[in-house]
Short mmCIF file of all heavy atoms in Angstrom, two decimals:
data_model
loop_
_atom_site.label_atom_id
_atom_site.label_comp_id
_atom_site.label_asym_id
_atom_site.label_seq_id
_atom_site.Cartn_x
_atom_site.Cartn_y
_atom_site.Cartn_z
N ASP A 38 65.36 17.84 -33.33
CA ASP A 38 66.01 17.10 -32.27
C ASP A 38 67.43 17.58 -31.99
O ASP A 38 68.05 17.24 -30.96
CB ASP A 38 66.08 15.62 -32.58
CG ASP A 38 66.83 15.17 -33.77
OD1 ASP A 38 67.37 16.17 -34.48
OD2 ASP A 38 66.95 13.99 -34.11
N TYR A 39 67.94 18.45 -32.85
CA TYR A 39 69.26 19.02 -32.62
C TYR A 39 69.19 20.45 -33.04
O TYR A 39 68.48 20.80 -34.07
CB TYR A 39 70.34 18.26 -33.31
CG TYR A 39 71.30 17.55 -32.49
CD1 TYR A 39 71.06 16.13 -32.22
CD2 TYR A 39 72.42 18.18 -31.88
CE1 TYR A 39 71.91 15.46 -31.29
CE2 TYR A 39 73.21 17.45 -31.06
CZ TYR A 39 72.95 16.14 -30.81
OH TYR A 39 73.82 15.40 -29.89
N PHE A 40 69.93 21.33 -32.39
CA PHE A 40 70.06 22.79 -32.81
C PHE A 40 71.51 23.05 -32.88
O PHE A 40 72.36 22.68 -32.06
CB PHE A 40 69.33 23.68 -31.76
CG PHE A 40 67.88 23.27 -31.59
CD1 PHE A 40 67.46 22.32 -30.64
CD2 PHE A 40 66.96 23.83 -32.42
CE1 PHE A 40 66.15 21.95 -30.53
CE2 PHE A 40 65.63 23.54 -32.28
CZ PHE A 40 65.17 22.59 -31.31
N LEU A 41 71.84 23.90 -33.91
CA LEU A 41 73.20 24.21 -34.20
C LEU A 41 73.33 25.65 -34.42
O LEU A 41 72.41 26.32 -34.90
CB LEU A 41 73.69 23.47 -35.47
CG LEU A 41 73.58 21.90 -35.39
CD1 LEU A 41 72.20 21.49 -36.01
CD2 LEU A 41 74.66 21.31 -36.33
N TRP A 42 74.56 26.24 -34.12
CA TRP A 42 74.86 27.59 -34.50
C TRP A 42 76.06 27.56 -35.43
O TRP A 42 77.05 26.84 -35.20
CB TRP A 42 75.24 28.35 -33.24
CG TRP A 42 74.20 28.74 -32.40
CD1 TRP A 42 73.58 28.18 -31.34
CD2 TRP A 42 73.26 29.92 -32.58
NE1 TRP A 42 72.48 28.76 -30.82
CE2 TRP A 42 72.27 29.86 -31.57
CE3 TRP A 42 73.30 31.03 -33.51
CZ2 TRP A 42 71.34 30.88 -31.46
CZ3 TRP A 42 72.39 31.97 -33.33
CH2 TRP A 42 71.37 31.92 -32.34
N TYR A 43 75.97 28.32 -36.55
CA TYR A 43 77.02 28.47 -37.47
C TYR A 43 77.45 29.90 -37.51
O TYR A 43 76.56 30.83 -37.38
CB TYR A 43 76.57 28.07 -38.97
CG TYR A 43 76.53 26.57 -39.10
CD1 TYR A 43 75.51 25.81 -38.75
CD2 TYR A 43 77.60 26.05 -39.86
CE1 TYR A 43 75.50 24.40 -38.97
CE2 TYR A 43 77.59 24.56 -40.06
CZ TYR A 43 76.59 23.81 -39.67
OH TYR A 43 76.61 22.49 -39.87
N LYS A 44 78.74 30.18 -37.90
CA LYS A 44 79.21 31.52 -37.95
C LYS A 44 79.74 31.73 -39.36
O LYS A 44 80.24 30.82 -39.99
CB LYS A 44 80.43 31.58 -36.93
CG LYS A 44 81.22 32.82 -36.93
CD LYS A 44 82.27 32.60 -35.84
CE LYS A 44 83.23 33.82 -35.71
NZ LYS A 44 84.24 33.67 -34.76
N LYS A 45 79.50 32.90 -39.91
CA LYS A 45 79.89 33.14 -41.22
C LYS A 45 80.57 34.46 -41.41
O LYS A 45 79.92 35.61 -41.05
CB LYS A 45 78.67 33.09 -42.22
CG LYS A 45 79.02 33.35 -43.68
CD LYS A 45 77.80 33.26 -44.47
CE LYS A 45 78.16 33.59 -45.99
NZ LYS A 45 79.03 34.82 -46.14
N TYR A 46 81.74 34.37 -41.93
CA TYR A 46 82.53 35.69 -42.25
C TYR A 46 82.19 36.03 -43.73
O TYR A 46 81.91 35.25 -44.60
CB TYR A 46 84.00 35.53 -42.13
CG TYR A 46 84.50 35.42 -40.69
CD1 TYR A 46 85.03 34.21 -40.24
CD2 TYR A 46 84.29 36.33 -39.77
CE1 TYR A 46 85.51 34.08 -38.94
CE2 TYR A 46 84.70 36.29 -38.41
CZ TYR A 46 85.31 34.99 -38.05
OH TYR A 46 85.71 34.85 -36.78
N PRO A 47 82.38 37.29 -44.11
CA PRO A 47 82.12 37.75 -45.51
C PRO A 47 82.94 36.93 -46.43
O PRO A 47 84.09 36.66 -46.18
CB PRO A 47 82.45 39.24 -45.54
CG PRO A 47 82.34 39.63 -44.10
CD PRO A 47 82.70 38.43 -43.30
N ALA A 48 82.35 36.57 -47.59
CA ALA A 48 82.96 35.89 -48.72
C ALA A 48 83.52 34.37 -48.25
O ALA A 48 84.37 33.91 -48.95
CB ALA A 48 84.14 36.63 -49.27
N GLU A 49 82.98 33.94 -47.18
CA GLU A 49 83.34 32.59 -46.82
C GLU A 49 82.03 31.83 -46.60
O GLU A 49 80.96 32.33 -46.42
CB GLU A 49 84.15 32.61 -45.55
CG GLU A 49 85.64 33.19 -45.59
CD GLU A 49 86.34 33.11 -44.29
OE1 GLU A 49 85.98 32.46 -43.47
OE2 GLU A 49 87.37 33.75 -44.26
N GLY A 50 82.15 30.48 -46.51
CA GLY A 50 81.05 29.65 -46.18
C GLY A 50 80.77 29.57 -44.67
O GLY A 50 81.77 29.88 -43.89
N PRO A 51 79.61 29.23 -44.24
CA PRO A 51 79.34 29.02 -42.77
C PRO A 51 80.26 27.99 -42.23
O PRO A 51 80.59 26.98 -42.86
CB PRO A 51 77.86 28.70 -42.74
CG PRO A 51 77.29 29.16 -43.96
CD PRO A 51 78.41 28.97 -45.10
N THR A 52 80.67 28.22 -40.98
CA THR A 52 81.38 27.17 -40.16
C THR A 52 80.63 26.88 -38.88
O THR A 52 80.12 27.78 -38.28
CB THR A 52 82.87 27.60 -39.85
OG1 THR A 52 82.78 28.83 -39.17
CG2 THR A 52 83.63 27.76 -41.16
N PHE A 53 80.63 25.52 -38.58
CA PHE A 53 79.98 25.14 -37.45
C PHE A 53 80.67 25.62 -36.21
O PHE A 53 81.87 25.74 -36.00
CB PHE A 53 80.03 23.51 -37.39
CG PHE A 53 79.59 22.93 -36.07
CD1 PHE A 53 78.15 23.05 -35.73
CD2 PHE A 53 80.42 22.43 -35.16
CE1 PHE A 53 77.80 22.46 -34.54
CE2 PHE A 53 80.03 21.87 -34.00
CZ PHE A 53 78.69 21.88 -33.62
N LEU A 54 79.77 26.08 -35.17
CA LEU A 54 80.27 26.66 -33.96
C LEU A 54 79.97 25.80 -32.76
O LEU A 54 80.83 25.41 -32.04
CB LEU A 54 79.60 28.01 -33.74
CG LEU A 54 80.09 28.97 -32.73
CD1 LEU A 54 81.59 29.16 -32.77
CD2 LEU A 54 79.31 30.29 -32.73
N ILE A 55 78.75 25.51 -32.56
CA ILE A 55 78.30 24.79 -31.32
C ILE A 55 76.92 24.18 -31.47
O ILE A 55 76.19 24.82 -32.33
CB ILE A 55 78.38 25.67 -30.08
CG1 ILE A 55 78.23 24.81 -28.79
CG2 ILE A 55 77.35 26.78 -30.18
CD1 ILE A 55 78.52 25.73 -27.45
N SER A 56 76.66 23.15 -30.90
CA SER A 56 75.25 22.55 -31.03
C SER A 56 74.70 22.10 -29.64
O SER A 56 75.47 22.06 -28.68
CB SER A 56 75.28 21.31 -31.95
OG SER A 56 76.12 20.22 -31.35
N ILE A 57 73.52 21.75 -29.73
CA ILE A 57 72.80 21.25 -28.47
C ILE A 57 71.73 20.27 -28.84
O ILE A 57 70.93 20.47 -29.88
CB ILE A 57 72.20 22.41 -27.60
CG1 ILE A 57 71.70 21.89 -26.22
CG2 ILE A 57 71.15 23.14 -28.28
CD1 ILE A 57 71.45 22.93 -25.22
N SER A 58 71.65 19.15 -28.18
CA SER A 58 70.59 18.24 -28.25
C SER A 58 69.38 18.65 -27.63
O SER A 58 69.41 19.45 -26.65
CB SER A 58 71.01 16.85 -27.67
OG SER A 58 69.89 15.95 -27.62
N SER A 59 68.17 18.29 -28.23
CA SER A 59 66.89 18.71 -27.67
C SER A 59 66.59 18.15 -26.30
O SER A 59 65.76 18.63 -25.64
CB SER A 59 65.77 18.36 -28.59
OG SER A 59 65.78 16.88 -28.72
N ILE A 60 67.47 17.19 -25.86
CA ILE A 60 67.24 16.58 -24.52
C ILE A 60 68.12 17.36 -23.42
O ILE A 60 68.08 16.98 -22.25
CB ILE A 60 67.55 15.09 -24.38
CG1 ILE A 60 69.01 14.84 -24.91
CG2 ILE A 60 66.61 14.42 -25.42
CD1 ILE A 60 69.36 13.38 -24.59
#
Side-chain angles (χ1 to χ4, degrees):
Chain A
D38 63 1
Y39 250 93
F40 301 91
L41 302 88
W42 285 93
Y43 279 80
K44 178 179 178 179
K45 184 185 177 305
Y46 292 118
E49 294 183 11
T52 55
F53 171 71
L54 187 59
I55 191 170
S56 67
I57 187 168
S58 164
S59 61
I60 62 173

